[in-house]
Amino acid sequence: MRSSNPVFSREGSFTRESGYAGFGTTQAGSPSGGNPYGQSNPYGTNPYGNNPYDNNPYAQQAPGQQQLTDEQLVEMYRAPSAGPLATGRMTLDDVVARTAMTLLTLVAAGALAWFALPAENYGVAVGAGLVAFVIGMVISFKRSVSPPLILLYAGLEGFALGAVTHVFDTIWEGIAIQAVLGTAAVFAAMLIGYKSGRIRVTPRYTRIGISIAMGFVLLLMVNMVASMFGADMGLRAGPLGIVVGLVGIGLGAFFLSLDFAAVEEAIAQGAPQKEAWRAAFGLTLSLVWIYIEMLRLIAILRGDD
């Protein structure tokens, strides 16, 4: 956060018109060409006898306001400046707290779906996932931040992920833990790389990543439409499926780097505290993306074991 120190100035204190310490003044009745030392002592009238700040407009008190003592002024001067918490600005702690709340909501809803829904019946979870997608789009294009809407998204998305993960874990035992650990590893690697400066979010880096992401999403949409008509492009099976899965995880990591840069920039610009919810939503989206791609990749790698 940028900070500035107040600078106070007193006009006229050191100008020639002020007569400070007798400089720039002319004694009444003294000839301009005479010896100044032959005149009366210029220090006979002590210029310090009068308070030069009597007419200072900054020293005036509001009507009815009690004048501050010297001790109170010193205490105010030595007091720490107002921090982000006092000014309502977003901090890194705010982002961490909101992200933790969002992820806890997601995990709790996922656990509910895991234990409440049978693995053979996950139609409700698919519906929850579609509703979560719509809510996510609304949040993305909504100008104002809505914490209840973000938590609702997290709950519905978590419910859908919990049901789908339960199905995967029934086929490939232990895949849920593997996907969670893989997602955590990607997050930790990106955070370390970003904080160490090895990963720099530049305009060129962003343009390339966004272009690849758009092409990737378009390819998945074509594959989804083709699968509706019984065509199989092989994007989620075999060697090609492994490549697609790795690209998907890489894009999720790219999204995380954009999230880190957005959080850092928002804090530096003094964004309102409520914007921490938007940052939490972005981080949750990226983690959900990575988790889904990790789940699919591990399923392909494990095959029929």
Side-chain angles (χ1 to χ4, degrees), residues 119-187:
E120 298 80 11
N121 184 15
Y122 55 92
V124 178
V126 174
L130 293 176
V131 175
F133 174 78
V134 174
I135 294 177
M137 295 298 293
V138 172
I139 295 173
S140 300
F141 291 99
K142 188 177 175 61
R143 296 190 63 180
S144 60
V145 184
S146 176
L149 208 58
I150 292 175
L151 292 177
L152 178 61
Y153 162 80
L156 292 173
E157 188 69 45
F159 192 85
L161 287 179
V164 172
T165 303
H166 190 195
V167 174
F168 273 68
D169 198 75
T170 302
I171 302 173
W172 299 282
E173 185 178 358
I175 192 174
I177 298 299
Q178 294 172 344
V180 170
L181 293 177
T183 303
V186 173
F187 177 82

Side-chain angles (χ1 to χ4, degrees), residues 47-171:
Y48 298 99
N50 296 322
N51 187 357
Y53 303 105
D54 282 341
N55 297 323
N56 186 355
Y58 299 101
Q60 302 298 327
Q61 299 291 329
Q65 181 179 357
Q66 185 179 2
Q67 187 173 4
L68 297 176
T69 63
D70 293 342
E71 291 76 10
Q72 290 174 325
L73 291 174
V74 171
E75 184 178 356
M76 290 174 61
Y77 179 78
R78 293 179 178 177
S81 59
L85 184 61
T87 57
R89 300 302 181 182
M90 186 179 81
T91 65
L92 185 59
D93 291 339
D94 294 328
V95 177
V96 172
R98 272 63 171 182
T99 304
M101 292 175 61
T102 306
L103 292 178
L104 285 176
T105 302
L106 187 144
V107 171
L112 176 64
W114 181 292
F115 294 107
L117 292 179
E120 298 80 11
N121 184 15
Y122 55 92
V124 178
V126 174
L130 293 176
V131 175
F133 174 78
V134 174
I135 294 177
M137 295 298 293
V138 172
I139 295 173
S140 300
F141 291 99
K142 188 177 175 61
R143 296 190 63 180
S144 60
V145 184
S146 176
L149 208 58
I150 292 175
L151 292 177
L152 178 61
Y153 162 80
L156 292 173
E157 188 69 45
F159 192 85
L161 287 179
V164 172
T165 303
H166 190 195
V167 174
F168 273 68
D169 198 75
T170 302
I171 302 173

Side-chain angles (χ1 to χ4, degrees), residues 85-304:
L85 184 61
T87 57
R89 300 302 181 182
M90 186 179 81
T91 65
L92 185 59
D93 291 339
D94 294 328
V95 177
V96 172
R98 272 63 171 182
T99 304
M101 292 175 61
T102 306
L103 292 178
L104 285 176
T105 302
L106 187 144
V107 171
L112 176 64
W114 181 292
F115 294 107
L117 292 179
E120 298 80 11
N121 184 15
Y122 55 92
V124 178
V126 174
L130 293 176
V131 175
F133 174 78
V134 174
I135 294 177
M137 295 298 293
V138 172
I139 295 173
S140 300
F141 291 99
K142 188 177 175 61
R143 296 190 63 180
S144 60
V145 184
S146 176
L149 208 58
I150 292 175
L151 292 177
L152 178 61
Y153 162 80
L156 292 173
E157 188 69 45
F159 192 85
L161 287 179
V164 172
T165 303
H166 190 195
V167 174
F168 273 68
D169 198 75
T170 302
I171 302 173
W172 299 282
E173 185 178 358
I175 192 174
I177 298 299
Q178 294 172 344
V180 170
L181 293 177
T183 303
V186 173
F187 177 82
M190 290 303 298
L191 182 60
I192 294 173
Y194 182 82
K195 294 301 292 182
S196 64
R198 291 183 174 88
I199 298 175
R200 297 181 180 179
V201 179
T202 62
R204 183 171 181 270
Y205 170 88
T206 304
R207 287 195 301 268
I208 294 175
I210 293 297
S211 300
I212 296 175
M214 292 176 62
F216 184 82
V217 172
L218 181 62
L219 182 63
L220 292 183
M221 292 178 63
V222 172
N223 180 67
M224 182 179 64
V225 173
S227 63
M228 293 180 180
F229 294 95
D232 186 9
M233 299 177 62
L235 297 182
R236 292 302 184 182
L240 183 58
I242 295 175
V243 173
V244 172
L246 291 174
V247 173
I249 294 173
L251 285 175
F254 164 75
F255 294 146
L256 277 179
S257 66
L258 296 186
D259 293 331
F260 296 153
V263 170
E264 191 173 44
E265 182 179 1
I267 294 175
Q269 293 182 353
Q273 189 178 36
K274 200 173 184 180
E275 288 296 318
W277 282 106
R278 194 186 303 275
F281 173 70
L283 289 169
T284 302
L285 276 181
S286 300
L287 291 174
V288 167
W289 175 291
I290 295 173
Y291 176 79
I292 293 174
E293 293 299 327
M294 190 71 68
L295 201 65
R296 289 171 172 171
L297 178 61
I298 296 174
I300 296 173
L301 293 174
R302 291 186 59 172
D304 298 328

